[in-house]
Amino acid sequence: MKKDKHDCDLQSCMLCKLCIPAWKPAIAAHRKSFTLKKGQMLFREGEPVNGIYFVNAGKVKVHKHWGEEKELIVRFAEEGDIVGHRGVGSEMVYPVSATALETVDLCFIDLAFFQATLKVNHEFLHALMMFYASELQESEKNMRNLVHMPVKGRIAHALLILQKKFGTNGDGYINMTLSRQDLASYTGTTYETAFRIMSELIQEDIIAISGKSIVVKDPARLALLEADAG
């Protein structure tokens, strides 16, 4: 991780949008800007929490150990998102790891300043509480899907979620590159199974793939696969 010469604009991230105007000089004084290259880690599962990260540009995967030598991707973060908040609690260790999927610019604020921010900025505190609640609901839904939903339904659900979160580019492709292994880790399956299901979806003309880019050609049929499996 190297220090970023390009500071954030104090406008884009969740904290800057919701803090009181008088608090922005304090953010400017306490933040640290960094750049990560693809594959570099922000923090590792089990490490002590030392602060919170806000993504200014790029995409990050948040993942944890799942069985022997396997990982489960629990969420993806992009510009404007917060990362590292899952470690704030009674144990104060990161229960997950975070890794850059591409070049990522981010801001870091240490734990003491983050806690001070919560005491002063009530709108940010309320938004953070709602964010935690939403994440908890999504985590519970994902756990239910892992237990009850067949793999094809989970992959259909994942592709629809990714398209909704990241949008599409001018050619209709989901606006992120996703390896088969990351798709497998996000849906709780093996690389081989993910590859087979994706091949079936291509043959059924529901999706198309170019390298690591995916386009959903028939979202209605994909949604039907998700609904039938739910």
Side-chain angles (χ1 to χ4, degrees), residues 89-100:
S90 58
E91 294 185 4
M92 300 304 287
V93 296
Y94 293 116
V96 291
S97 302
T99 303

Side-chain angles (χ1 to χ4, degrees), residues 2-172:
K2 67 177 182 178
K3 190 167 184 180
D4 189 2
K5 297 179 181 178
H6 305 287
D7 288 333
C8 71
D9 58 7
L10 293 176
Q11 301 290 333
S12 301
C13 75
M14 180 182 180
L15 172 59
C16 294
K17 286 179 179 178
L18 297 175
C19 76
I20 59 176
W23 196 249
K24 286 191 177 181
I27 297 174
H30 285 85
R31 73 184 180 189
K32 296 179 181 178
S33 297
F34 296 96
T35 296
L36 285 172
K37 294 181 180 179
K38 180 180 179 180
Q40 286 188 298
M41 299 187 76
L42 284 73
F43 50 81
R44 191 180 301 274
E45 184 177 347
E47 290 179 347
V49 175
N50 54 8
I52 306 296
Y53 298 85
F54 295 90
V55 181
N56 294 328
K59 298 178 180 65
V60 173
K61 68 176 180 179
V62 179
H63 52 103
K64 66 183 289 91
H65 291 301
W66 186 46
E68 293 184 8
E69 300 182 358
K70 293 181 181 179
E71 72 170 19
L72 181 67
I73 296 176
V74 297
R75 66 184 281 250
F76 294 99
E78 63 171 341
E79 179 180 344
D81 285 343
I82 182 173
V83 181
H85 57 286
R86 287 173 177 255
V88 179
S90 58
E91 294 185 4
M92 300 304 287
V93 296
Y94 293 116
V96 291
S97 302
T99 303
L101 288 172
E102 58 192 37
T103 300
V104 177
D105 296 329
L106 54 115
C107 278
F108 169 83
I109 61 173
D110 65 50
L111 191 58
F113 180 68
F114 177 72
Q115 291 170 333
T117 297
L118 295 179
K119 295 176 181 178
V120 174
N121 294 275
H122 298 156
E123 187 177 357
F124 173 66
L125 175 60
H126 178 264
L128 190 63
M129 289 175 60
M130 298 305 294
F131 175 66
Y132 270 109
S134 177
E135 276 221 321
L136 179 59
Q137 290 176 348
E138 190 63 29
S139 294
E140 290 176 343
K141 185 186 300 182
N142 288 339
M143 289 303 297
R144 182 199 66 196
N145 289 347
L146 284 174
V147 174
H148 298 292
M149 186 179 283
V151 177
K152 195 166 188 176
R154 297 204 301 267
I155 288 179
H157 174 72
L159 293 176
L160 292 170
I161 289 292
L162 293 175
Q163 181 172 259
K164 181 179 179 181
K165 179 174 179 61
F166 296 111
T168 56
N169 62 22
D171 295 321

Side-chain angles (χ1 to χ4, degrees), residues 149 152-153 156 201 204 206 220-230:
M149 186 179 283
K152 195 166 188 176
L201 293 175
E204 294 165 10
I206 296 175
R221 288 175 66 195
L222 200 62
L224 186 60
L225 285 174
E226 176 193 27
D228 288 344

Side-chain angles (χ1 to χ4, degrees), residues 195-210:
F195 184 88
R196 176 176 58 80
I197 296 298
M198 293 294 282
S199 297
E200 290 177 7
L201 293 175
I202 292 170
Q203 291 174 359
E204 294 165 10
D205 204 32
I206 296 175
I207 67 169
I209 292 178
S210 177

